[in-house]
Amino acid sequence: MKTPVQKFPVELLNSIFQYCLPQKFGPDSAPLVLAQVCQQWRQVTLENHELWAKLYIDNHAVRRRNTLDLLDIWLKRSGRRLIDVNIDFSISGGNTKTFTLEQYHKKQRVDRKLLSLLYRHSSHTRSFQGILSPSLASEYPIHKMKLLEVLHLTGESECSLSSLPSLALLTQIPTLRHLSLQDVGLDLRSLHSQTQLTRLELSGCNPSGLGPHTAIDLLNALPDLQVVYLALDHSDGSEHRPTLDRLRLPALRHLYISWNWADTVDSRYLLGQFYAPHLERLALKGTLQEMTGIWDALLLFILASDSPSLTHLAIGDIGATDVSLLDVLRVTPSLTHLTVNHALVHPHLLQALVWDVHKPEAQLVPRLTSLRFGACEDFEASDILPVLQSRSGTSIASPEGVSCLEEVDLRQCSGLRREDEKYILATGIRKIALDTEETLLSPFGGLFHFLRFEESHHDFFVD
């Protein structure tokens, strides 16, 4: 007699098994365990190659004795399905263990064997994400993954990659669409031929670094890019170069530019060299140093783009807001999400954001639904409360083209106190995240003033 579960149709079992797939590879994870429950389940799991098409291996899995055998079984059961591989072979592996030289070489030998198994299936690898040591990364024949669509490579923080010869051969992978490189050394000019790319993320591209002029050359060479993250860390003399006619990037939808204080990076040059008429999301993360003219460059960039579709704007560490941000908000009527981190937010700015129901046609950002301030100064609860109260669902009748604030995030803003929380929470906003400076104490009893707030490019690009 069959049990009720055994009467389930194969399609239903397959749907259930999809929800059981593990976050990490291991001997006690589905679908390996599911295949051992009963004969029916074993047959279902073996015939459904999609259950074996995703693989995430970290150092904990690598250290197990039977990992290689289990991995061989797993990959064989994927059949000829396109597989997605995610590996973390970092030295620390998320812990503080110190490796001796002998242990390190032993680990390299195990990792190399594991990669050799993966290589046998490189011809049908669709996505490859990995944190690799320099030697392993340079040995792995990435260019032979003929159906590769997504490549994310991260160099180890302890030892960034100084060279990665196989990247020069990416021209042999016409299917590649998404490329993300962090702490990986390569000649950025080798990317100019990757004209099929639609997503590009570059951070810590040693040894040459990434400067504004080099970034413009990349954008010019890759016209189909839709999503771009560029971490500028190098001054390439762009401030002395002549200003050219703006480059038009019609495919660009999401753009995140950051620059650090390790070198004098002139991001104004980059913003002044192109425009994106269909841009939807823009994020700028600067440094602790104020740069004169950056607001003007931002305003001119938005005006040149003439992009009515800009819905998300995130800015951080680029100076006091005040009139500068007001000018930007006046030309972005479709904005729904606004994030400001590490800036002086003048009360005049907040007064301009208070909604006047009698003059809806004259209000700034009428579609704003999300407002975030992180570690901002120069305003108090009495300044922000009128904004929240006037834009809550209880105050705006939501006529066509007008939205209520649905999400507010106020973190570590110096002018907000614990006693202000009850008034902010009572504004009627559906979702409020609130931390005052008084709620974040260091182990020594003092305020931790150096907490950094930023919206990562991963979070910013996600819907």
Side-chain angles (χ1 to χ4, degrees), residues 35-277:
Q36 301 176 46
V37 173
C38 65
Q39 184 62 37
Q40 181 198 20
W41 285 23
R42 180 177 179 82
Q43 182 177 352
V44 171
T45 55
L46 293 182
E47 291 179 353
N48 187 354
H49 300 300
E50 290 293 337
L51 295 176
W52 312 87
K54 295 184 183 296
L55 192 61
Y56 173 52
I57 310 171
D58 64 2
N59 271 325
H60 298 290
V62 172
R63 287 194 289 268
R64 295 190 177 100
R65 291 184 178 181
N66 60 345
T67 293
L68 291 176
D69 294 334
L70 291 177
L71 178 60
D72 189 33
I73 292 173
W74 190 293
L75 290 171
K76 287 178 178 178
R77 290 178 178 177
S78 68
R80 299 299 299 175
R81 291 291 190 278
L82 292 176
I83 61 174
D84 301 322
V85 177
N86 191 336
I87 56 179
D88 180 359
F89 288 172
S90 57
I91 294 176
S92 61
N95 58 52
T96 57
K97 178 181 178 180
T98 301
F99 280 80
T100 65
L101 185 59
E102 181 180 354
Q103 290 173 325
Y104 175 74
H105 287 312
K106 181 179 179 181
K107 179 182 182 304
Q108 289 286 89
R109 289 193 294 271
V110 175
D111 292 347
R112 191 169 280 109
K113 289 180 180 178
L114 196 148
L115 283 174
S116 67
L117 276 178
L118 293 174
Y119 171 62
R120 298 176 192 172
H121 299 262
S122 59
S123 62
H124 57 283
T125 298
R126 174 175 52 193
S127 171
F128 187 86
Q129 304 181 54
I131 303 177
L132 305 174
S133 68
S135 57
L136 292 178
S138 60
E139 292 173 8
Y140 199 73
I142 297 172
H143 62 283
K144 294 188 177 181
M145 298 180 179
K146 301 299 183 181
L147 298 179
L148 190 66
E149 299 176 10
V150 178
L151 175 61
H152 291 187
L153 283 181
T154 301
E156 295 188 63
S157 57
E158 297 90 343
C159 186
S160 297
L161 306 186
S162 58
S163 63
L164 200 53
S166 55
L167 283 181
L169 302 176
L170 288 178
T171 53
Q172 301 179 23
I173 313 178
T175 56
L176 188 63
R177 294 293 181 270
H178 296 180
L179 178 61
S180 176
L181 304 174
Q182 178 178 347
D183 297 326
V184 172
L186 79 160
D187 183 352
L188 292 176
R189 290 172 299 182
S190 64
L191 299 180
H192 287 191
S193 59
Q194 312 302 316
T195 56
Q196 78 285 354
L197 288 176
T198 59
R199 180 170 183 144
L200 179 65
E201 302 173 9
L202 297 177
S203 173
C205 293
N206 298 316
S208 59
L210 178 60
H213 184 71
T214 306
I216 282 294
D217 287 344
L218 277 173
L219 294 175
N220 187 32
L222 307 175
D224 291 338
L225 286 176
Q226 300 175 12
V227 179
V228 174
Y229 166 59
L230 300 175
L232 307 179
D233 57 7
H234 174 66
S235 177
D236 51 11
S238 55
E239 63 275 13
H240 303 300
R241 299 177 185 271
T243 301
L244 307 175
D245 291 339
R246 285 182 182 264
L247 175 67
R248 186 174 187 268
L249 300 175
L252 191 60
R253 298 295 188 274
H254 298 175
L255 176 64
Y256 190 123
I257 302 174
S258 69
W259 58 96
N260 61 33
W261 55 87
D263 203 346
T264 305
V265 177
D266 191 351
S267 55
R268 297 169 299 181
Y269 174 85
L270 179 59
L271 288 174
Q273 294 301 306
F274 70 99
Y275 67 101

Side-chain angles (χ1 to χ4, degrees), residues 134-430:
S135 57
L136 292 178
S138 60
E139 292 173 8
Y140 199 73
I142 297 172
H143 62 283
K144 294 188 177 181
M145 298 180 179
K146 301 299 183 181
L147 298 179
L148 190 66
E149 299 176 10
V150 178
L151 175 61
H152 291 187
L153 283 181
T154 301
E156 295 188 63
S157 57
E158 297 90 343
C159 186
S160 297
L161 306 186
S162 58
S163 63
L164 200 53
S166 55
L167 283 181
L169 302 176
L170 288 178
T171 53
Q172 301 179 23
I173 313 178
T175 56
L176 188 63
R177 294 293 181 270
H178 296 180
L179 178 61
S180 176
L181 304 174
Q182 178 178 347
D183 297 326
V184 172
L186 79 160
D187 183 352
L188 292 176
R189 290 172 299 182
S190 64
L191 299 180
H192 287 191
S193 59
Q194 312 302 316
T195 56
Q196 78 285 354
L197 288 176
T198 59
R199 180 170 183 144
L200 179 65
E201 302 173 9
L202 297 177
S203 173
C205 293
N206 298 316
S208 59
L210 178 60
H213 184 71
T214 306
I216 282 294
D217 287 344
L218 277 173
L219 294 175
N220 187 32
L222 307 175
D224 291 338
L225 286 176
Q226 300 175 12
V227 179
V228 174
Y229 166 59
L230 300 175
L232 307 179
D233 57 7
H234 174 66
S235 177
D236 51 11
S238 55
E239 63 275 13
H240 303 300
R241 299 177 185 271
T243 301
L244 307 175
D245 291 339
R246 285 182 182 264
L247 175 67
R248 186 174 187 268
L249 300 175
L252 191 60
R253 298 295 188 274
H254 298 175
L255 176 64
Y256 190 123
I257 302 174
S258 69
W259 58 96
N260 61 33
W261 55 87
D263 203 346
T264 305
V265 177
D266 191 351
S267 55
R268 297 169 299 181
Y269 174 85
L270 179 59
L271 288 174
Q273 294 301 306
F274 70 99
Y275 67 101
H278 301 115
L279 192 66
E280 299 171 356
R281 303 189 182 194
L282 173 64
L284 299 176
K285 180 185 178 299
T287 73
L288 296 175
Q289 302 171 342
E290 292 190 19
M291 179 183 295
T292 59
I294 183 62
W295 283 104
D296 291 338
L298 171 60
L299 178 60
L300 291 175
F301 169 76
I302 293 177
L303 289 173
S305 296
D306 190 22
S307 177
S309 56
L310 187 66
T311 59
H312 291 60
L313 178 64
I315 52 179
D317 286 320
I318 62 174
T321 56
D322 199 11
V323 177
S324 303
L325 181 55
L326 284 177
D327 290 338
V328 172
L329 297 182
R330 289 189 180 100
V331 295
T332 52
S334 298
L335 205 65
T336 60
H337 290 67
L338 175 63
T339 299
V340 181
N341 292 326
H342 298 281
L344 298 177
V345 178
H346 199 278
H348 288 328
L349 168 66
L350 297 177
Q351 291 173 12
L353 288 177
V354 175
W355 188 265
D356 186 348
V357 294
H358 302 295
K359 299 179 180 179
E361 71 285 349
Q363 304 307 300
L364 294 177
V365 287
R367 300 181 182 180
L368 191 67
T369 60
S370 175
L371 180 63
R372 300 181 180 183
F373 289 147
C376 291
E377 303 178 11
D378 215 24
F379 73 91
E380 299 178 351
S382 58
D383 301 311
I384 189 71
L385 276 172
V387 179
L388 306 185
Q389 293 167 344
S390 67
R391 287 179 174 263
S392 69
T394 58
S395 302
I396 299 181
S398 297
E400 185 178 356
V402 177
S403 301
C404 304
L405 265 181
E406 299 177 359
E407 179 183 12
V408 172
D409 195 323
L410 303 173
R411 303 295 180 99
Q412 302 305 306
C413 295
S414 61
L416 301 182
R417 297 289 180 261
R418 186 173 297 172
E419 56 265 26
D420 300 325
E421 293 184 9
K422 60 181 179 180
Y423 302 107
I424 295 176
L425 295 175
T427 55
I429 307 297
R430 183 174 59 85

